[in-house]
Amino acid sequence: GFSDGELSRVNSKYGRRLEFDVECRVKPLLQWLSDLEMTAPEVRKAVVRCPKIFDVDLEKVSKPVVFWLKDLGMNDAQVKRAILACPQLIALTLVGNLKPRVQWLKELGMDDPQVAKTIT
């Protein structure tokens, strides 16, 4: 579980009362993060750093981001490291956020392995 201090930080960062459907949002996200080999303390850290991840559609946003990162050549450990370093990564849309930034890096001359290394 989360400590009172962690819950307070989540609430203060999110800026609104947290009311998530546990069965539809919280449990699936926590299970998915666990499936990515994240430990309970790592999951807590990600949620405290970016509580917005509970507001994101797991099937339409978060999972496609991870598949796309793997298509760039990132392995499971690199994907996990990237999410832990920047949990908001799984709350960004591909078309509006990630693909244009990666395209810019490629225009600078980076190939997929270099982009993957930059992200992690």
Side-chain angles (χ1 to χ4, degrees):
F2 292 89
S3 71
D4 289 340
E6 288 171 329
L7 289 175
S8 177
R9 282 193 301 274
V10 166
N11 197 29
S12 70
K13 282 185 179 184
Y14 203 60
R16 68 179 175 100
R17 185 178 162 87
L18 297 175
E19 294 180 11
F20 301 112
D21 183 320
V22 173
E23 294 300 319
C24 291
R25 292 277 186 177
V26 177
K27 284 184 179 180
L29 177 70
L30 296 179
Q31 181 59 53
W32 181 68
L33 291 173
S34 177
D35 292 345
L36 292 175
E37 304 297 326
M38 288 191 182
T39 64
E42 290 171 334
V43 169
R44 279 195 310 274
K45 181 180 177 182
V47 169
V48 169
R49 290 186 68 202
C50 185
K52 182 180 181 354
I53 63 177
F54 282 123
D55 253 355
V56 176
D57 188 308
L58 187 61
E59 297 298 324
K60 292 181 181 176
V61 178
S62 301
K63 286 183 179 181
V65 166
V66 169
F67 292 132
W68 183 72
L69 292 173
K70 288 181 178 184
D71 283 345
L72 281 177
M74 294 174 73
N75 62 35
D76 291 341
Q78 289 172 314
V79 168
K80 175 184 168 180
R81 192 168 47 247
I83 294 170
L84 288 172
C86 184
Q88 54 270 44
L89 185 65
I90 59 172
L92 298 174
T93 61
L94 286 175
V95 175
N97 291 293
L98 293 173
K99 285 184 178 182
R101 288 180 173 103
V102 167
Q103 183 60 38
W104 178 74
L105 292 172
K106 288 182 175 185
E107 288 170 5
L108 293 175
M110 291 185 176
D111 59 16
D112 285 349
Q114 291 170 319
V115 169
K117 187 173 182 177
T118 300
I119 292 172
T120 59

